[in-house]
Amino acid sequence: MIKMTMFLKRHPDISREEFVRHHIEDHGPLFRSIPEAGTHVKRYIQTHPVEPPEGTVPQADYDGTAEIWFDGPDGMKAVLTSETYQSKVFPDEKTFLDHDNTLILVGEQTDIIG
């Protein structure tokens, strides 16, 4: 299993509130509509920032994260090269993400607690 973690920056033309609403209400369901995702995606979560308790950690300047667990590299490729992703999901990303400043990390997860 591999995990793709994306540190997301919103498109400069939209507000943080618009970004969060679109990410949850529009983009999430659109990604879920990818037929190959039903076979190859084991989990997909979105996280949006809240103010951390004072004196704990500095907050990074990102508008959210998305984490997607795939059954393996071939499954990841099947989803991200699928017709639905290429024709619907990726074009939607261009409407609310700043792709040039979004970071992507693909790796294997190691459980430490839990």
Side-chain angles (χ1 to χ4, degrees):
M1 185 172 339
I2 62 171
K3 179 180 170 184
M4 181 170 65
T5 303
M6 293 153 282
F7 298 87
L8 308 172
K9 293 293 281 187
R10 64 185 159 87
H11 192 284
D13 293 341
I14 66 171
S15 70
R16 192 172 301 251
E17 293 77 20
E18 290 171 308
F19 168 83
V20 171
R21 188 211 58 76
H22 186 91
H23 195 209
I24 294 170
E25 296 177 14
D26 298 327
H27 191 72
L30 191 58
F31 188 91
R32 195 172 42 238
S33 77
I34 300 169
E36 293 81 359
T39 302
H40 299 293
V41 173
K42 300 306 177 192
R43 188 170 188 205
Y44 168 31
I45 64 170
Q46 299 175 349
T47 303
H48 302 98
V50 297
E51 194 62 38
E54 188 174 332
T56 57
V57 295
Q59 184 77 295
D61 186 26
Y62 285 90
D63 298 293
T65 65
E67 300 170 79
I68 307 171
W69 288 257
F70 296 94
D71 57 1
D74 292 341
M76 180 179 177
K77 185 173 183 176
V79 172
L80 298 182
T81 61
S82 70
E83 173 62 29
T84 303
Y85 179 79
Q86 294 295 317
S87 68
K88 295 180 182 177
V89 179
F90 185 72
D92 180 63
E93 290 175 4
K94 297 287 195 176
T95 70
F96 77 105
L97 287 178
D98 177 351
H99 268 232
D100 291 337
N101 291 300
T102 289
L103 303 177
I104 299 173
L105 174 72
V106 177
E108 293 183 355
Q109 179 173 302
T110 301
D111 291 334
I112 304 301
I113 297 176

